Amino acid sequence: MLADLHNHSCLSPCGSLDLSPRRILELGAAKGIKLLALTDHNSSLNCPAFSKLAPSFDIIPLFGMEATTNEEIHILCLFTNLDACLSFNEYAYSILTPFLNNPEKTGDQVYVDEEDNIEGEVEYYLINPIDLSVDSIGVKVQEYGGIVIPAHVDRPAFSMTSQLGTVVDGPWAAVECTRIPPALNGVPLDTLSFPLTTSSDAHFSEHVGRRPFFLDVEPEELQPGGKGTEASKDVLIKALAKRPRF
């Protein structure tokens, strides 16, 4: 199946206001994507609408966020269970740097229902770090029942390589890059033989589905309870483990 595990909505201040959960699913379905994750910056408040809408688009949803660590490294925190995701969301918000957002300067941070009606706006600026290090975030996400994937490790900003100079070991289910094999400034990256994925990191409509990847699993295996039910975390981890390694 075709998968894309990194997408932002109108909740992310750097994302387009017209990129609602519904719009992301519409665009993903048009590209043939069957497994789609919603990963706004440090928040999962658009995931309930995403969960309600996904079955009507024949898409298996994953829920989560792109968390920013103390080192300003972006890490995808992904959950198959919505309640677990929302519990981690509450924890992450409690340790987010308490800097008020100014929508006129830094962008709107709205969460919506399945009909695109605005339900609320997040008070603190979501681009700031949460109080977790790259060494601790994986363990914490696992405590809540999720998996972790370091984001865009081959980019010169907000990545392991930009902040630490290298990909570091951890409980990663995979490592995300913009291209395979990954390189930075023409120099191949050592990704420690972790499975590699690509994802769109969509912030605008035209970004959705620009870098999906193939996952070697049937939808019926990943969603054993049938359409509209929770995906299997164990099956997802096993499928990710089959991805290319360099």
Side-chain angles (χ1 to χ4, degrees):
M1 67 165 63
L2 201 58
D4 195 334
L5 306 186
H6 189 170
N7 294 280
H8 297 265
S9 74
C10 51
L11 177 57
S12 292
C14 47
S16 172
L17 267 179
D18 68 358
L19 203 54
S20 65
R22 177 182 290 276
R23 183 64 175 152
I24 292 171
L25 288 161
E26 287 174 349
L27 294 167
K31 296 288 183 71
I33 294 169
K34 294 299 182 183
L35 178 68
L36 193 64
L38 182 55
T39 53
D40 282 299
H41 287 291
N42 291 322
S43 183
S44 305
L45 291 181
N46 266 339
C47 286
F50 189 71
S51 175
K52 291 176 182 177
L53 290 165
S56 63
F57 291 94
D58 198 26
I59 283 176
I60 300 173
L62 292 180
F63 318 107
M65 67 176 64
E66 183 180 28
T68 304
T69 69
N70 284 330
E71 302 91 349
E72 296 194 326
I73 296 169
H74 287 179
I75 305 287
L76 299 178
C77 308
L78 300 172
F79 298 82
T80 57
N81 181 272
L82 178 61
D83 289 339
C85 175
L86 294 177
S87 293
F88 181 74
N89 174 79
E90 290 184 9
Y91 170 73
Y93 193 70
S94 74
I95 58 172
L96 177 68
T97 305
F99 181 82
L100 292 177
N101 185 47
N102 183 337
E104 292 185 359
K105 291 185 177 181
T106 51
D108 295 290
Q109 300 182 154
V110 299
Y111 52 99
V112 301
D113 64 16
E114 58 269 33
E115 301 299 329
D116 292 357
N117 299 307
I118 294 176
E119 293 193 316
E121 188 164 1
V122 176
E123 181 182 24
Y124 291 151
Y125 185 46
L126 291 173
I127 299 298
N128 282 326
I130 61 175
D131 191 18
L132 286 174
S133 70
V134 70
D135 290 330
S136 60
I137 190 168
V139 173
K140 181 59 69 172
V141 172
Q142 288 179 330
E143 287 177 5
Y144 280 82
I147 66 171
V148 279
I149 297 177
H152 42 65
V153 298
D154 53 347
R155 281 186 181 170
F158 298 110
S159 70
M160 283 184 170
T161 49
S162 71
Q163 305 307 101
L164 303 177
T166 186
V167 175
V168 299
D169 198 12
W172 322 130
V175 167
E176 180 198 83
C177 46
T178 59
R179 60 188 59 82
I180 299 175
L184 185 61
N185 298 323
V187 179
L189 287 183
D190 181 3
T191 49
L192 306 181
S193 296
F194 281 105
L196 301 181
T197 67
T198 58
S199 285
S200 295
D201 192 7
H203 287 74
F204 299 91
S205 293
E206 59 268 27
H207 295 164
V208 177
R210 63 178 171 176
R211 282 192 297 268
F213 65 94
F214 283 102
L215 201 58
D216 186 11
V217 63
E218 296 293 333
E220 296 80 11
E221 296 175 77
L222 185 57
Q223 202 173 33
K227 185 177 178 179
T229 64
E230 182 179 312
S232 167
K233 184 178 75 170
D234 290 340
V235 172
L236 174 62
I237 291 171
K238 289 178 182 178
L240 286 169
K242 298 178 185 178
R243 290 287 303 160
R245 303 166 188 255
F246 283 88

